[in-house]
Amino acid sequence: MVNLIWFGMMFAGLVVAAITGRIEAVTEAVFSSAEQAVTVAFSLISIMTFWLGMMKLIEKSGMIHGIVKLLRPLAVFLYPRIPRDHPAMQAILMNMSANMLGMGSAATPFGLKAMEKLQELNKDPETASDEMCTFLAVNTSSLTIVPTTVVALRAATGSLNPTEIIGTTVIATLCSTIVAITLDRILRRFFKNGPKGGKR
């Protein structure tokens, strides 16, 4: 669907440019945008390398285990049916830690691992379990304390103060996480025996 929307926008732009006799503006925009994309990409390499290195230092120094320990009570509350020492719980905690640090690229592998392990606990492989739905909701809303990826993008595009969004990001992601957890609990109760009273 997104590809169709992008294609529609580009096609409409070409048609309008052809009708108005400004087709050269399209060519100019294509080349300038391509140049800008390459510049931003190269700028991001150094910034992302720095933050990925910081993430590795946090992991190697043991600080990540401190974050995991702080998040464990929340994870136990959200996923009471998952054994505390199960690999799924460890993957979920690592995913939550990476998301809190704004490292989406580091959180993705842990998220995939968590889903894989949650599937092993799933009694009905054809249907997503409650824990899988909760994890998807929390992972999508993802409370972020340090939005490193967005800060890196802002810095790469020349922002004078790329870190000024940290406060609003914390508030926005905290609200989204609270809403996600609340709706998850409400819908879980509503569909516990099926919307029409039958067992799911």
Side-chain angles (χ1 to χ4, degrees):
M1 177 58 76
V2 174
N3 289 335
L4 288 174
I5 292 172
W6 277 109
F7 175 77
M9 292 171 64
M10 289 187 292
F11 183 75
L14 285 170
V15 170
V16 171
I19 292 173
T20 57
R22 299 184 59 191
I23 199 71
E24 72 281 352
V26 175
T27 306
E28 184 181 340
V30 167
F31 282 109
S32 63
S33 298
E35 183 181 352
Q36 185 180 7
V38 171
T39 303
V40 170
F42 274 108
S43 300
L44 278 174
I45 290 173
S46 58
I47 298 168
M48 289 304 295
T49 300
F50 169 77
W51 284 113
L52 286 171
M54 289 295 292
M55 186 68 181
K56 201 67 179 177
L57 285 173
I58 290 170
E59 183 181 347
K60 291 291 185 182
S61 66
M63 192 183 296
I64 190 74
H65 299 297
I67 298 172
V68 165
K69 192 178 291 186
L70 287 173
L71 291 174
R72 188 174 291 278
L74 175 61
V76 170
F77 167 74
L78 292 173
Y79 313 98
R81 293 192 296 184
I82 301 177
R84 295 192 179 193
D85 57 347
H86 194 276
M89 183 63 80
Q90 298 303 318
I92 287 171
L93 286 167
M94 292 299 287
N95 173 268
M96 291 172 68
S97 301
N99 273 327
M100 285 185 69
L101 295 172
M103 300 300 297
S105 55
T108 301
F110 293 124
L112 294 173
K113 190 70 174 177
M115 277 295 188
E116 179 186 331
K117 295 301 179 183
L118 286 172
Q119 182 67 356
E120 293 177 5
L121 296 172
N122 192 2
K123 294 179 180 178
D124 183 6
E126 300 298 321
T127 305
S129 64
D130 289 341
E131 288 72 24
M132 294 171 82
C133 294
T134 300
F135 175 69
L136 185 61
V138 173
N139 183 61
T140 304
S141 58
S142 67
L143 171 64
T144 304
I145 296 176
V146 185
T148 52
T149 303
V150 180
V151 169
L153 280 169
R154 286 171 57 84
T157 51
S159 173
L160 296 177
N161 189 4
T163 59
E164 67 181 351
I165 61 162
I166 290 178
T168 51
T169 299
V170 172
I171 294 171
T173 55
L174 178 62
C175 291
S176 67
T177 303
I178 291 172
V179 170
I181 294 171
T182 303
L183 286 175
D184 173 71
R185 286 295 183 266
I186 292 172
L187 292 174
R188 185 184 291 195
R189 287 193 177 189
F190 179 72
F191 286 100
K192 187 174 183 181
N193 295 314
K196 294 183 180 179
K199 281 228 169 179
R200 193 176 62 169

